[in-house]
Amino acid sequence: MTSTAAGTAPRKLDISKLLIESRAFLALALIIVIFSLLSPNFLTVNNLLIMSSHVAIFALLSLGQLLVVLTGGIDLSVGSILGFTAVIAGFLLRGVPISMFGVTLYPNVPAAVLIAIVLGGALGLINGVLVAKFKVAPFVATLGMLYVVRGFALLMTNGRTLNDLSGDEALGNTGFEWLGFNRVLGIPAGVLIMAVIALVIAVVLGRTTFGRWLYATGGNERAAQLSGVPVRSVTIWVYVVSGLCSAVAGIILASTLTSASPTAGNTYELTAIAGVVIGGAALSGGRGTVRGTLLGAFVIGFLSDGLVLIGVSAYWQTVFVGAVIVVAVLLNTLQYGRPGKASRAGRKTGGVGTPGGPGEAGGPSGPRAPSDPGGSSESAGPAEPAGPAGSAGPRSPSSD
């Protein structure tokens, strides 16, 4: 006896959908091929490592930005936090005068780095509290932080760059340049740090309850609340992590240059957003992956460095990067539909959308809204991979 179950019919391979979902990878491959033909030095091992160390800065900012975007928010302060934490580290390494006692303290490198990173997390905490507790729009809250933090950096340095951060052996504050220049097994330390942070974030998003909460918050905040997701705490923590990633990027950049400029990271917030968008994340929230974001950061980094290598004007570089961002947003619209439509559909069904990424199934499914709002709320069970984009919509709160 044979039976044919509904929905088991073979699906036709949709080439256009496959190309859209794999856009970041295809763009990176195309960039590598084109610049390899235009310059014989582009694909050398040494040049690839140098470009990767540049990409590490963008990738760290984009990874922090990804978490914020997954909740439906945005963080415009990442570039300013990068510059400010670099200045803080440089200020500490050059000595902190205490006029009351007539002495100058010279913290060692680990202490200076730790203080700068903690400060970055604290600034992210302020952003998170403004957004989650006081309901300030993410754009406004982080834009204000952008100006405040940049202003403090300029005040601390009088607008000057802090040079020569290599330290003095007699003072015990040497070794700051290790993060920027040293290599482990031939790989720049900054690239390894970026890889470790990316791996941790990928595990958190794909294997933990917090990751499911995060996707659920961005997919449908109301349904997530009904399901018992601590939306406020999730929102605050993603901004904290974004601040920490920005601070780490600032430390690596200052270590590479052995100097700290108060204007470092200017417009980097736009680069971070571009990396997330090119990687296939939806700015409306709930969709995006670490793999896609890394590919997006490499697309921007390799494109910028490749244009420099073949002697293209810096002004044209801005034009090319901007064009890539516009195309990426257009492709996102084709893949996910307009944000307005998605949000209206989510409100009608009350379900939590499942995240998706370029060329792969979406992240873990978020918790489902209970069919009886008066009953107890429980988090969802183990993560289930979503189908291809467009095949799985928001889940109804009454479905089980």
Side-chain angles (χ1 to χ4, degrees):
M1 180 171 100
T2 60
S3 61
T4 304
T8 59
R11 296 178 180 176
K12 292 183 179 179
L13 180 63
D14 192 336
I15 300 298
S16 61
K17 182 182 293 185
L18 181 63
L19 291 176
I20 290 176
E21 292 179 349
S22 306
R23 58 189 175 274
F25 176 78
L26 295 175
L28 181 60
L30 184 63
I31 288 171
I32 292 175
V33 170
I34 290 176
F35 286 114
S36 298
L37 296 175
L38 295 176
S39 173
N41 297 322
F42 182 82
L43 209 55
T44 61
V45 174
N46 188 52
N47 187 60
L48 288 175
L49 291 174
I50 292 173
M51 290 192 298
S52 297
S53 65
H54 297 163
V55 170
I57 306 296
F58 301 144
L60 286 168
L61 295 178
S62 296
L63 288 170
Q65 190 75 249
L66 170 66
L67 299 180
V68 176
V69 167
L70 285 176
T71 64
I74 198 167
D75 190 352
L76 298 179
S77 64
V78 293
S80 295
I81 292 177
L82 178 150
F84 182 61
T85 52
V87 165
I88 290 295
F91 183 78
L92 293 173
L93 291 173
R94 286 167 64 95
V96 183
I98 303 179
S99 55
M100 182 183 298
F101 301 102
V103 297
T104 301
L105 295 180
Y106 290 91
N108 57 26
V109 171
V113 169
L114 181 61
I115 291 172
I117 292 176
V118 169
L119 181 58
L123 294 173
L125 176 63
I126 295 174
N127 282 335
V129 169
L130 289 174
V131 173
K133 297 286 187 181
F134 295 98
K135 302 301 180 183
V136 180
F139 182 91
V140 176
T142 58
L143 180 63
M145 183 63 71
L146 179 154
Y147 283 108
V148 170
V149 170
R150 184 72 71 188
F152 273 120
L154 291 168
L155 286 171
M156 289 180 62
T157 60
N158 289 322
R160 302 192 185 108
T161 299
L162 302 178
N163 296 309
D164 191 18
L165 302 182
S166 55
D168 189 340
E169 290 187 5
L171 300 174
N173 61 350
T174 58
F176 183 63
E177 67 278 4
W178 185 88
L179 291 173
F181 290 100
N182 201 36
R183 295 188 177 189
V184 179
L185 301 176
I187 303 175
V191 176
L192 292 176
I193 293 172
M194 177 268 292
V196 170
I197 292 177
L199 180 61
V200 170
I201 293 178
V203 170
V204 169
L205 290 179
R207 302 292 181 181
T208 67
T209 302
F210 181 84
R212 291 192 289 273
W213 286 349
L214 199 158
Y215 279 112
T217 300
N220 190 312
E221 183 176 332
R222 179 58 179 162
Q225 287 177 334
L226 292 175
S227 300
V229 174
V231 172
R232 282 189 179 182
S233 298
V234 170
T235 303
I236 291 174
W237 272 109
V238 296
Y239 282 97
V240 171
V241 175
S242 179
L244 292 173
C245 289
S246 301
V248 173
I251 296 299
I252 294 175
L253 180 61
S255 174
T256 303
L257 303 175
T258 60
S259 63
S261 171
T263 59
N266 192 28
T267 72
Y268 277 21
E269 57 276 353
L270 304 181
T271 305
I273 296 171
V276 173
V277 172
I278 293 172
L283 291 178
S284 55
R287 290 180 180 270
T289 60
V290 170
R291 184 171 68 181
T293 299
L294 289 178
L295 285 172
F298 272 92
V299 166
I300 294 176
F302 277 25
L303 176 61
S304 300
D305 286 353
L307 291 172
V308 171
L309 199 60
I310 63 175
V312 175
S313 166
Y315 305 122
W316 276 110
Q317 294 174 33
T318 305
V319 173
F320 282 121
V321 173
V324 169
I325 295 171
V326 171
V327 172
V329 173
L330 176 61
L331 293 177
N332 273 13
T333 303
L334 293 175
Q335 181 178 1
Y336 302 132
R338 285 178 294 181
K341 282 187 176 181
S343 61
R344 286 194 296 272
R347 284 195 295 270
K348 286 181 181 179
T349 62
V352 182
T354 52
E360 63 181 14
S365 60
R368 293 172 292 179
S371 57
D372 181 8
S376 59
S377 303
E378 294 181 356
S379 297
E384 298 177 3
S391 64
R395 184 176 289 159
S396 171
S398 60
S399 64
D400 195 350

mmCIF file of all heavy atoms in Angstrom, residues 297-332:
data_model
loop_
_atom_site.group_PDB
_atom_site.id
_atom_site.type_symbol
_atom_site.label_atom_id
_atom_site.label_comp_id
_atom_site.label_asym_id
_atom_site.label_seq_id
_atom_site.Cartn_x
_atom_site.Cartn_y
_atom_site.Cartn_z
ATOM 1 N N ALA A 297 31.378 41.808 6.825
ATOM 2 C CA ALA A 297 32.547 42.593 7.227
ATOM 3 C C ALA A 297 33.722 42.357 6.295
ATOM 4 O O ALA A 297 34.458 43.291 5.936
ATOM 5 C CB ALA A 297 32.935 42.230 8.672
ATOM 6 N N PHE A 298 33.907 41.111 5.862
ATOM 7 C CA PHE A 298 34.997 40.810 4.929
ATOM 8 C C PHE A 298 34.735 41.436 3.558
ATOM 9 O O PHE A 298 35.670 41.857 2.881
ATOM 10 C CB PHE A 298 35.185 39.295 4.801
ATOM 11 C CG PHE A 298 36.125 38.722 5.814
ATOM 12 C CD1 PHE A 298 35.641 38.240 7.032
ATOM 13 C CD2 PHE A 298 37.483 38.673 5.575
ATOM 14 C CE1 PHE A 298 36.505 37.723 7.980
ATOM 15 C CE2 PHE A 298 38.361 38.153 6.514
ATOM 16 C CZ PHE A 298 37.873 37.677 7.723
ATOM 17 N N VAL A 299 33.483 41.501 3.143
ATOM 18 C CA VAL A 299 33.161 42.155 1.878
ATOM 19 C C VAL A 299 33.588 43.624 1.923
ATOM 20 O O VAL A 299 34.252 44.129 1.003
ATOM 21 C CB VAL A 299 31.648 42.040 1.572
ATOM 22 C CG1 VAL A 299 31.243 43.006 0.451
ATOM 23 C CG2 VAL A 299 31.292 40.617 1.180
ATOM 24 N N ILE A 300 33.230 44.317 2.992
ATOM 25 C CA ILE A 300 33.580 45.736 3.103
ATOM 26 C C ILE A 300 35.087 45.918 3.218
ATOM 27 O O ILE A 300 35.687 46.772 2.547
ATOM 28 C CB ILE A 300 32.879 46.358 4.324
ATOM 29 C CG1 ILE A 300 31.371 46.362 4.116
ATOM 30 C CG2 ILE A 300 33.375 47.775 4.567
ATOM 31 C CD1 ILE A 300 30.595 46.869 5.293
ATOM 32 N N GLY A 301 35.729 45.122 4.078
ATOM 33 C CA GLY A 301 37.162 45.260 4.286
ATOM 34 C C GLY A 301 37.976 44.945 3.041
ATOM 35 O O GLY A 301 38.883 45.707 2.669
ATOM 36 N N PHE A 302 37.658 43.838 2.392
ATOM 37 C CA PHE A 302 38.408 43.456 1.188
ATOM 38 C C PHE A 302 38.148 44.434 0.045
ATOM 39 O O PHE A 302 39.041 44.715 -0.756
ATOM 40 C CB PHE A 302 38.038 42.035 0.768
ATOM 41 C CG PHE A 302 38.782 40.968 1.520
ATOM 42 C CD1 PHE A 302 39.289 41.212 2.789
ATOM 43 C CD2 PHE A 302 39.000 39.712 0.969
ATOM 44 C CE1 PHE A 302 39.978 40.233 3.489
ATOM 45 C CE2 PHE A 302 39.692 38.731 1.660
ATOM 46 C CZ PHE A 302 40.183 38.992 2.921
ATOM 47 N N LEU A 303 36.926 44.935 -0.057
ATOM 48 C CA LEU A 303 36.619 45.907 -1.098
ATOM 49 C C LEU A 303 37.413 47.194 -0.886
ATOM 50 O O LEU A 303 38.031 47.717 -1.829
ATOM 51 C CB LEU A 303 35.117 46.212 -1.107
ATOM 52 C CG LEU A 303 34.643 47.292 -2.080
ATOM 53 C CD1 LEU A 303 34.952 46.893 -3.520
ATOM 54 C CD2 LEU A 303 33.149 47.568 -1.903
ATOM 55 N N SER A 304 37.438 47.700 0.346
ATOM 56 C CA SER A 304 38.173 48.940 0.637
ATOM 57 C C SER A 304 39.665 48.763 0.406
ATOM 58 O O SER A 304 40.309 49.603 -0.252
ATOM 59 C CB SER A 304 37.906 49.370 2.089
ATOM 60 O OG SER A 304 36.533 49.610 2.303
ATOM 61 N N ASP A 305 40.246 47.689 0.923
ATOM 62 C CA ASP A 305 41.682 47.473 0.766
ATOM 63 C C ASP A 305 42.046 47.182 -0.689
ATOM 64 O O ASP A 305 43.113 47.587 -1.167
ATOM 65 C CB ASP A 305 42.145 46.310 1.655
ATOM 66 C CG ASP A 305 42.191 46.701 3.120
ATOM 67 O OD1 ASP A 305 41.985 47.894 3.416
ATOM 68 O OD2 ASP A 305 42.413 45.825 3.970
ATOM 69 N N GLY A 306 41.164 46.472 -1.398
ATOM 70 C CA GLY A 306 41.433 46.202 -2.806
ATOM 71 C C GLY A 306 41.452 47.472 -3.640
ATOM 72 O O GLY A 306 42.304 47.641 -4.520
ATOM 73 N N LEU A 307 40.539 48.390 -3.356
ATOM 74 C CA LEU A 307 40.519 49.663 -4.074
ATOM 75 C C LEU A 307 41.772 50.482 -3.781
ATOM 76 O O LEU A 307 42.311 51.161 -4.664
ATOM 77 C CB LEU A 307 39.259 50.449 -3.689
ATOM 78 C CG LEU A 307 37.932 49.863 -4.178
ATOM 79 C CD1 LEU A 307 36.755 50.612 -3.578
ATOM 80 C CD2 LEU A 307 37.852 49.904 -5.701
ATOM 81 N N VAL A 308 42.242 50.426 -2.533
ATOM 82 C CA VAL A 308 43.494 51.117 -2.188
ATOM 83 C C VAL A 308 44.659 50.500 -2.955
ATOM 84 O O VAL A 308 45.534 51.209 -3.473
ATOM 85 C CB VAL A 308 43.753 51.044 -0.671
ATOM 86 C CG1 VAL A 308 45.152 51.552 -0.337
ATOM 87 C CG2 VAL A 308 42.718 51.858 0.084
ATOM 88 N N LEU A 309 44.667 49.186 -3.048
ATOM 89 C CA LEU A 309 45.777 48.477 -3.677
ATOM 90 C C LEU A 309 45.914 48.809 -5.162
ATOM 91 O O LEU A 309 47.027 48.872 -5.698
ATOM 92 C CB LEU A 309 45.595 46.964 -3.490
ATOM 93 C CG LEU A 309 46.827 46.076 -3.661
ATOM 94 C CD1 LEU A 309 47.901 46.448 -2.659
ATOM 95 C CD2 LEU A 309 46.449 44.619 -3.509
ATOM 96 N N ILE A 310 44.785 49.038 -5.820
ATOM 97 C CA ILE A 310 44.866 49.344 -7.251
ATOM 98 C C ILE A 310 44.878 50.849 -7.512
ATOM 99 O O ILE A 310 44.816 51.281 -8.667
ATOM 100 C CB ILE A 310 43.700 48.696 -8.027
ATOM 101 C CG1 ILE A 310 42.357 49.266 -7.571
ATOM 102 C CG2 ILE A 310 43.740 47.190 -7.880
ATOM 103 C CD1 ILE A 310 41.168 48.743 -8.382
ATOM 104 N N GLY A 311 44.956 51.636 -6.423
ATOM 105 C CA GLY A 311 45.147 53.071 -6.575
ATOM 106 C C GLY A 311 43.900 53.880 -6.839
ATOM 107 O O GLY A 311 43.984 54.992 -7.377
ATOM 108 N N VAL A 312 42.740 53.387 -6.451
ATOM 109 C CA VAL A 312 41.499 54.138 -6.632
ATOM 110 C C VAL A 312 41.407 55.232 -5.574
ATOM 111 O O VAL A 312 41.769 55.026 -4.415
ATOM 112 C CB VAL A 312 40.277 53.201 -6.543
ATOM 113 C CG1 VAL A 312 38.978 53.988 -6.598
ATOM 114 C CG2 VAL A 312 40.324 52.179 -7.664
ATOM 115 N N SER A 313 40.925 56.391 -5.950
ATOM 116 C CA SER A 313 40.793 57.523 -5.044
ATOM 117 C C SER A 313 39.913 57.165 -3.847
ATOM 118 O O SER A 313 38.949 56.398 -3.966
ATOM 119 C CB SER A 313 40.193 58.720 -5.777
ATOM 120 O OG SER A 313 39.762 59.716 -4.870
ATOM 121 N N ALA A 314 40.238 57.738 -2.695
ATOM 122 C CA ALA A 314 39.455 57.486 -1.484
ATOM 123 C C ALA A 314 38.013 57.945 -1.653
ATOM 124 O O ALA A 314 37.092 57.373 -1.049
ATOM 125 C CB ALA A 314 40.097 58.197 -0.292
ATOM 126 N N TYR A 315 37.790 58.959 -2.469
ATOM 127 C CA TYR A 315 36.425 59.432 -2.687
ATOM 128 C C TYR A 315 35.600 58.394 -3.447
ATOM 129 O O TYR A 315 34.422 58.174 -3.149
ATOM 130 C CB TYR A 315 36.459 60.758 -3.462
ATOM 131 C CG TYR A 315 37.309 61.819 -2.794
ATOM 132 C CD1 TYR A 315 38.380 62.410 -3.458
ATOM 133 C CD2 TYR A 315 37.051 62.225 -1.487
ATOM 134 C CE1 TYR A 315 39.168 63.373 -2.842
ATOM 135 C CE2 TYR A 315 37.833 63.189 -0.864
ATOM 136 C CZ TYR A 315 38.888 63.759 -1.545
ATOM 137 O OH TYR A 315 39.657 64.704 -0.932
ATOM 138 N N TRP A 316 36.222 57.745 -4.420
ATOM 139 C CA TRP A 316 35.528 56.698 -5.154
ATOM 140 C C TRP A 316 35.287 55.479 -4.275
ATOM 141 O O TRP A 316 34.304 54.750 -4.458
ATOM 142 C CB TRP A 316 36.325 56.303 -6.397
ATOM 143 C CG TRP A 316 36.075 57.196 -7.565
ATOM 144 C CD1 TRP A 316 36.927 58.097 -8.116
ATOM 145 C CD2 TRP A 316 34.863 57.277 -8.321
ATOM 146 N NE1 TRP A 316 36.330 58.742 -9.167
ATOM 147 C CE2 TRP A 316 35.059 58.248 -9.321
ATOM 148 C CE3 TRP A 316 33.634 56.616 -8.257
ATOM 149 C CZ2 TRP A 316 34.077 58.585 -10.243
ATOM 150 C CZ3 TRP A 316 32.647 56.953 -9.183
ATOM 151 C CH2 TRP A 316 32.879 57.923 -10.162
ATOM 152 N N GLN A 317 36.171 55.245 -3.315
ATOM 153 C CA GLN A 317 35.965 54.131 -2.395
ATOM 154 C C GLN A 317 34.657 54.303 -1.640
ATOM 155 O O GLN A 317 33.885 53.358 -1.462
ATOM 156 C CB GLN A 317 37.130 54.039 -1.407
ATOM 157 C CG GLN A 317 38.459 53.675 -2.037
ATOM 158 C CD GLN A 317 39.588 53.751 -1.036
ATOM 159 O OE1 GLN A 317 39.407 53.477 0.140
ATOM 160 N NE2 GLN A 317 40.763 54.138 -1.489
ATOM 161 N N THR A 318 34.385 55.528 -1.196
ATOM 162 C CA THR A 318 33.139 55.815 -0.486
ATOM 163 C C THR A 318 31.934 55.538 -1.374
ATOM 164 O O THR A 318 30.925 54.984 -0.927
ATOM 165 C CB THR A 318 33.121 57.278 -0.023
ATOM 166 O OG1 THR A 318 34.283 57.550 0.756
ATOM 167 C CG2 THR A 318 31.880 57.572 0.808
ATOM 168 N N VAL A 319 32.049 55.919 -2.648
ATOM 169 C CA VAL A 319 30.956 55.686 -3.592
ATOM 170 C C VAL A 319 30.691 54.187 -3.755
ATOM 171 O O VAL A 319 29.540 53.729 -3.715
ATOM 172 C CB VAL A 319 31.283 56.322 -4.963
ATOM 173 C CG1 VAL A 319 30.227 55.931 -5.992
ATOM 174 C CG2 VAL A 319 31.367 57.836 -4.841
ATOM 175 N N PHE A 320 31.752 53.408 -3.934
ATOM 176 C CA PHE A 320 31.597 51.966 -4.140
ATOM 177 C C PHE A 320 30.987 51.288 -2.916
ATOM 178 O O PHE A 320 30.085 50.447 -3.037
ATOM 179 C CB PHE A 320 32.944 51.330 -4.483
ATOM 180 C CG PHE A 320 33.376 51.554 -5.903
ATOM 181 C CD1 PHE A 320 34.570 52.207 -6.187
ATOM 182 C CD2 PHE A 320 32.597 51.124 -6.954
ATOM 183 C CE1 PHE A 320 34.976 52.421 -7.496
ATOM 184 C CE2 PHE A 320 32.984 51.327 -8.275
ATOM 185 C CZ PHE A 320 34.180 51.987 -8.540
ATOM 186 N N VAL A 321 31.492 51.643 -1.734
ATOM 187 C CA VAL A 321 30.965 51.036 -0.510
ATOM 188 C C VAL A 321 29.495 51.398 -0.338
ATOM 189 O O VAL A 321 28.657 50.561 0.030
ATOM 190 C CB VAL A 321 31.791 51.475 0.714
ATOM 191 C CG1 VAL A 321 31.143 50.986 2.000
ATOM 192 C CG2 VAL A 321 33.216 50.937 0.616
ATOM 193 N N GLY A 322 29.159 52.660 -0.605
ATOM 194 C CA GLY A 322 27.762 53.080 -0.504
ATOM 195 C C GLY A 322 26.870 52.327 -1.473
ATOM 196 O O GLY A 322 25.747 51.925 -1.131
ATOM 197 N N ALA A 323 27.356 52.098 -2.685
ATOM 198 C CA ALA A 323 26.577 51.352 -3.677
ATOM 199 C C ALA A 323 26.339 49.916 -3.215
ATOM 200 O O ALA A 323 25.242 49.371 -3.390
ATOM 201 C CB ALA A 323 27.295 51.370 -5.024
ATOM 202 N N VAL A 324 27.359 49.310 -2.624
ATOM 203 C CA VAL A 324 27.216 47.939 -2.119
ATOM 204 C C VAL A 324 26.154 47.881 -1.027
ATOM 205 O O VAL A 324 25.328 46.952 -0.969
ATOM 206 C CB VAL A 324 28.568 47.422 -1.585
ATOM 207 C CG1 VAL A 324 28.382 46.117 -0.823
ATOM 208 C CG2 VAL A 324 29.546 47.213 -2.732
ATOM 209 N N ILE A 325 26.120 48.874 -0.157
ATOM 210 C CA ILE A 325 25.140 48.905 0.926
ATOM 211 C C ILE A 325 23.723 49.027 0.368
ATOM 212 O O ILE A 325 22.795 48.339 0.807
ATOM 213 C CB ILE A 325 25.445 50.070 1.886
ATOM 214 C CG1 ILE A 325 26.782 49.831 2.593
ATOM 215 C CG2 ILE A 325 24.338 50.226 2.922
ATOM 216 C CD1 ILE A 325 27.267 51.020 3.389
ATOM 217 N N VAL A 326 23.551 49.915 -0.619
ATOM 218 C CA VAL A 326 22.226 50.096 -1.224
ATOM 219 C C VAL A 326 21.746 48.796 -1.856
ATOM 220 O O VAL A 326 20.583 48.389 -1.693
ATOM 221 C CB VAL A 326 22.263 51.234 -2.267
ATOM 222 C CG1 VAL A 326 20.955 51.277 -3.045
ATOM 223 C CG2 VAL A 326 22.519 52.567 -1.592
ATOM 224 N N VAL A 327 22.631 48.123 -2.580
ATOM 225 C CA VAL A 327 22.258 46.852 -3.215
ATOM 226 C C VAL A 327 21.905 45.812 -2.154
ATOM 227 O O VAL A 327 20.949 45.038 -2.307
ATOM 228 C CB VAL A 327 23.400 46.344 -4.117
ATOM 229 C CG1 VAL A 327 23.101 44.935 -4.622
ATOM 230 C CG2 VAL A 327 23.608 47.292 -5.291
ATOM 231 N N ALA A 328 22.666 45.793 -1.050
ATOM 232 C CA ALA A 328 22.400 44.827 0.019
ATOM 233 C C ALA A 328 21.027 45.059 0.639
ATOM 234 O O ALA A 328 20.282 44.100 0.907
ATOM 235 C CB ALA A 328 23.480 44.922 1.094
ATOM 236 N N VAL A 329 20.669 46.310 0.871
ATOM 237 C CA VAL A 329 19.355 46.620 1.435
ATOM 238 C C VAL A 329 18.251 46.216 0.463
ATOM 239 O O VAL A 329 17.210 45.669 0.869
ATOM 240 C CB VAL A 329 19.259 48.117 1.775
ATOM 241 C CG1 VAL A 329 17.838 48.483 2.198
ATOM 242 C CG2 VAL A 329 20.232 48.479 2.888
ATOM 243 N N LEU A 330 18.478 46.459 -0.828
ATOM 244 C CA LEU A 330 17.494 46.065 -1.841
ATOM 245 C C LEU A 330 17.287 44.550 -1.835
ATOM 246 O O LEU A 330 16.150 44.063 -1.892
ATOM 247 C CB LEU A 330 17.958 46.534 -3.211
ATOM 248 C CG LEU A 330 17.077 46.121 -4.412
ATOM 249 C CD1 LEU A 330 15.683 46.700 -4.255
ATOM 250 C CD2 LEU A 330 17.715 46.575 -5.721
ATOM 251 N N LEU A 331 18.382 43.805 -1.745
ATOM 252 C CA LEU A 331 18.268 42.344 -1.720
ATOM 253 C C LEU A 331 17.590 41.862 -0.443
ATOM 254 O O LEU A 331 16.848 40.873 -0.459
ATOM 255 C CB LEU A 331 19.658 41.718 -1.862
ATOM 256 C CG LEU A 331 20.342 41.926 -3.218
ATOM 257 C CD1 LEU A 331 21.743 41.332 -3.209
ATOM 258 C CD2 LEU A 331 19.515 41.301 -4.339
ATOM 259 N N ASN A 332 17.843 42.546 0.671
ATOM 260 C CA ASN A 332 17.146 42.204 1.912
ATOM 261 C C ASN A 332 15.643 42.380 1.752
ATOM 262 O O ASN A 332 14.836 41.584 2.244
ATOM 263 C CB ASN A 332 17.646 43.090 3.059
ATOM 264 C CG ASN A 332 18.857 42.513 3.746
ATOM 265 O OD1 ASN A 332 19.468 41.588 3.217
ATOM 266 N ND2 ASN A 332 19.219 43.037 4.894
#
